[in-house]
Amino acid sequence: MIIVGAGFSGLYALHRLRSLGFSARVLERGDGVGGTWFWNRYPGARCDIESVDYCYSFSEELLDEWRWSERYPAQPEILSYLDHVADRFDLRREIQLETEVTRMEFDEDASRWLVDTEQGERFACRWCVMAVGNLSSVKRPSFAGLDDFRGEWFHTARWPHDGVDFAGRSVAVIGTGSTGIQAIPQIAAQAEQLYVFQRTPNYSMPAQNRPLEPEELAEIRRNYVERRQLAKQSEAGVPFPAPDKGAFEVTPAERRRMYEEGWRRGGINSLSYAFTDFFTSHAANSTAAEFARQRIREIVRDPDVAETLTPYQHIGTKRTCVDIGYFETYNRPNVQLIDLRREPIERITARGVRTSADEYLLDCIVFAIGFDAMTGALLDIDIRGRGGETLREHWADGPRTYLGLAVSGFPNMFVVTGPGSPSVLSNMVVSIEQHVDWISDCIAEMRRRGARWFEATSGAEAGWVDHVNELADATLYPLATSWYLGANIPGKPRVFMPYVGGCGTYRQKCDEVARRGYHGFRLGAGRQTAAGREQVTA
Ligand code: NA7
């Protein structure tokens, strides 16, 4: 089989499938393993899930030997972890680097995939596991005049491996999502002058990052099985008990106390884990949003700057950012915030950025403008299923999957953490392990049954898409202009892509499908005929 991508998903898929006796090869476009953590090397890059949870749990030995140094892992530490995993489990011999998959076609006569690469190779395989990541197709800057710029420019997700020296330079950061919010304090500390170009202000929670002490790590390790179990059954794949009260079931003073406690604890769920109705009630959500707005006004000294940084949309319905000293950075004398809603960018010039109000003279521009999330990396590949239908055609009105794992008309192809699964709303590593385990068990079962092809039915896919939409529509999520909805990419269909039902519920559903003999899938041992689809079992 072919596994596309050598990040968290691809590495574990290779390990698991190989241990089941399959012959597998990973194709990876980078010149190293690590996926997201290979590419995103910008200053300040760090995961917003705690390190002890953002790691594999499949190996006791790995859990024993790896020591995370900080509460939130920085990119270099995650990358060394993944390098260690690749070595520790002897994965590299099956990983082919600098190999970009450009086209995949299902050969119906032979029930196999033909996989073409940019480098001119063709592979034939029975199964394909798409481990391409949710945030790996980069949104490229399309500003008029960029080619005229005489300074240097960088995209945060394609950062030079030997870093960038900002000392003594005039720098712009365009974009204030999670990436910009992590990079801005670090760049401000080095650059002579930093201009931040903000279009939409974002909520950001303090990371309250700190080193992890050996005793704390030992304690976590002692209880790790329970900790991970809690994470697996939770909504977001993190081991915290779910809230049990609505925001208005407590007094205003108690509510405030809970938000303050959350803020002191820090992290992405600082406020969202306080109450059950955070994502469903406008009024409940507003109490948390107002609390977060107040913190910005307290931290940022200049009231005009504070106001420009203050978001008024729902909190949490766009990815909440997690920062180390972000709002404080605007108190520095070398940092200037430019509000693009008041003065939009007109073009990039040879000397810098020209807005409707001014020209900002720059040595460097950093684009922190995000990704074509969730579907981009799959659609970048020309994938052709039964009858030559392309995935792009199949997803013309938004992604359609069964369980986020499989696509009807695209047999023998699995997607790890695809649209329609909890994916980016969860701790990715917990979701990845669940997906890879499910996929591997499924493929092993298909081998046992002698199936040559295995495919989601269009009915099961339609039912799942409806279910995903129905759950999302009962929340505030679809009201935000977020990348969860594809709203950051012009022309992309606006469909809420992740499954909001939570990791625990989702896991039960996947297990139930398997228990019922892979209900909603069909399979066969020969060529599918026009008259009907051959089935080995019901
Ligand atoms: P995001 O969250 O998509 O943020 C991108 C930012 O760039 C956001 O502030 C955008 O403003 C801004 N942006 C995008 N295009 C433009 C243009 N043309 N002009 C001005 N500003 C622009 O990407 P991130 O990389 O920060 O984070 C992605 C995820 O990675 C994150 O959520 C974590 O899960 C990890 P906008 O909001 O569209 O007005």
Side-chain angles (χ1 to χ4, degrees):
M1 60 189 65
I2 290 288
I3 299 164
V4 186
F8 266 103
S9 309
L11 293 179
Y12 180 46
L14 174 59
H15 173 68
R16 186 74 217 285
L17 287 161
R18 205 171 61 178
S19 71
L20 290 170
F22 289 101
S23 101
R25 178 166 305 181
V26 174
L27 305 179
E28 162 59 53
R29 81 178 144 187
D31 64 5
V33 302
T36 292
W37 303 104
F38 173 85
W39 296 104
N40 285 271
R41 296 168 189 245
Y42 60 85
R46 196 180 280 281
C47 186
D48 56 11
I49 300 287
E50 295 191 39
S51 52
V52 293
D53 301 312
Y54 192 76
C55 57
Y56 296 119
S57 66
F58 68 83
S59 158
E60 293 293 319
E61 294 77 15
L62 180 62
L63 283 166
D64 282 338
E65 70 202 12
W66 190 266
R67 298 269 180 282
W68 293 104
S69 68
E70 293 178 277
R71 182 180 182 199
Y72 291 99
Q75 175 270 334
E77 192 168 16
I78 306 175
L79 189 57
S80 16
Y81 173 75
L82 290 171
D83 271 320
H84 171 72
V85 168
D87 292 331
R88 171 82 174 67
F89 298 98
D90 191 21
L91 301 177
R92 292 191 200 271
R93 63 193 156 90
E94 262 100 36
I95 302 175
Q96 186 169 322
L97 299 173
E98 297 181 87
T99 305
E100 182 167 1
V101 173
T102 49
R103 191 171 189 280
M104 292 170 38
E105 184 176 355
F106 189 66
D107 169 357
E108 293 189 65
D109 290 328
S111 292
R112 60 177 192 171
W113 282 95
L114 299 171
V115 177
D116 294 324
T117 73
E118 177 71 22
Q119 289 65 29
E121 279 178 283
R122 168 168 277 200
F123 299 87
C125 57
R126 173 80 61 216
W127 305 95
C128 274
V129 177
M130 307 307 288
V132 293
N134 281 280
L135 295 160
S136 42
S137 178
V138 167
K139 182 174 158 179
R140 301 195 179 277
S142 56
F143 296 89
L146 183 56
D147 289 343
D148 302 338
F149 183 55
R150 279 201 230 104
E152 287 184 291
W153 67 266
F154 308 95
H155 192 294
T156 46
R158 290 291 176 272
W159 205 254
H161 286 202
D162 40 9
V164 180
D165 184 7
F166 292 110
R169 301 167 92 183
S170 172
V171 183
V173 173
I174 300 182
T176 52
S178 298
T179 300
I181 281 176
Q182 289 186 333
I184 285 162
Q186 301 267 328
I187 298 176
Q190 288 178 39
E192 184 165 306
Q193 174 67 36
L194 173 64
Y195 298 102
V196 177
F197 291 82
Q198 173 192 273
R199 193 162 64 182
T200 313
N202 264 313
Y203 295 99
S204 183
M205 306 292 111
Q208 312 291 21
N209 190 38
R210 56 182 168 75
L212 289 172
E213 302 302 334
E215 306 73 51
E216 186 180 0
L217 282 170
E219 177 66 17
I220 290 170
R221 179 68 188 101
R222 267 194 297 281
N223 302 312
Y224 203 76
V225 172
E226 298 76 39
R227 185 182 177 102
R228 194 70 169 207
Q229 198 50 33
L230 195 55
K232 286 177 175 177
Q233 299 310 330
S234 73
E235 204 166 304
V238 287
F240 306 117
D244 57 3
K245 280 193 189 67
F248 299 104
E249 290 179 58
V250 300
T251 63
E254 173 62 0
R255 204 159 53 229
R256 187 175 171 86
R257 191 197 62 72
M258 289 172 72
Y259 288 149
E260 275 167 357
E261 192 184 296
W263 196 262
R264 266 195 306 277
R265 200 176 52 242
I268 192 164
N269 300 316
S270 298
L271 305 181
S272 61
Y273 254 50
F275 299 111
T276 49
D277 44 3
F278 181 94
F279 288 108
T280 50
S281 150
H282 171 73
N285 188 281
S286 301
T287 63
E290 186 48 31
F291 179 87
R293 287 193 281 266
Q294 285 296 341
R295 304 287 76 70
I296 299 172
R297 292 170 192 137
E298 275 168 19
I299 298 169
V300 181
R301 279 188 224 117
D302 181 322
D304 289 338
V305 176
E307 184 54 26
T308 305
L309 288 166
T310 301
Y312 287 94
Q313 68 268 22
H314 290 124
I315 182 170
T317 52
K318 270 178 106 163
R319 179 81 170 197
T320 302
C321 307
V322 178
D323 71 277
I324 301 178
Y326 174 64
F327 293 113
E328 291 82 347
T329 301
Y330 293 93
N331 295 330
R332 295 178 65 104
N334 68 330
V335 176
Q336 185 180 336
L337 178 65
I338 291 115
D339 182 356
L340 296 180
R341 290 171 309 182
R342 267 188 234 154
E343 45 169 313
I345 294 176
E346 284 183 344
R347 62 179 294 113
I348 299 199
T349 66
R351 302 187 308 169
V353 170
R354 193 165 75 219
T355 66
S356 58
D358 211 342
E359 185 180 18
Y360 298 88
L361 304 185
L362 302 165
D363 301 308
C364 298
I365 306 176
V366 174
F367 294 103
I369 55 175
F371 303 87
D372 183 353
M374 305 198 69
T375 53
L378 288 164
L379 294 178
D380 285 348
I381 303 170
D382 178 11
I383 302 179
R384 290 161 188 262
R386 285 205 193 280
E389 186 193 21
T390 66
L391 188 63
R392 199 168 272 284
E393 285 160 358
H394 194 72
W395 285 5
D397 298 325
R400 301 180 63 75
T401 67
Y402 181 36
L403 301 170
L405 279 161
V407 185
S408 100
F410 296 79
N412 298 7
M413 181 184 90
F414 292 95
V415 181
V416 184
T417 66
S421 78
S423 63
V424 290
L425 295 184
S426 70
N427 172 354
M428 289 302 279
V429 188
V430 167
S431 287
I432 284 167
E433 284 193 334
Q434 184 249 334
H435 263 191
V436 169
D437 288 343
W438 193 97
I439 293 167
S440 309
D441 291 346
C442 172
I443 298 177
E445 176 61 15
M446 291 311 118
R447 176 176 59 186
R448 203 184 60 74
R449 293 192 197 179
R452 288 161 64 83
W453 57 265
F454 174 81
E455 178 187 357
T457 65
S458 54
E461 182 181 88
W464 186 253
V465 170
D466 288 347
H467 175 58
V468 169
N469 289 334
E470 200 180 311
L471 290 182
D473 288 343
T475 71
L476 302 170
Y477 276 113
L479 304 178
T481 46
S482 69
W483 57 257
Y484 292 148
L485 269 162
N488 64 328
I489 301 292
K492 188 166 172 170
R494 289 209 182 185
V495 174
F496 191 80
M497 296 182 280
Y499 172 81
V500 299
C503 287
T505 310
Y506 173 77
R507 179 180 296 265
Q508 283 166 17
K509 286 187 184 291
C510 291
D511 290 349
E512 176 67 14
V513 165
R515 228 182 353 262
R516 292 175 64 191
Y518 293 96
H519 182 72
F521 288 93
R522 55 184 145 214
L523 51 129
R527 193 188 197 286
Q528 177 206 344
T529 62
R533 294 179 176 208
E534 180 184 348
Q535 288 191 227
V536 169
T537 70

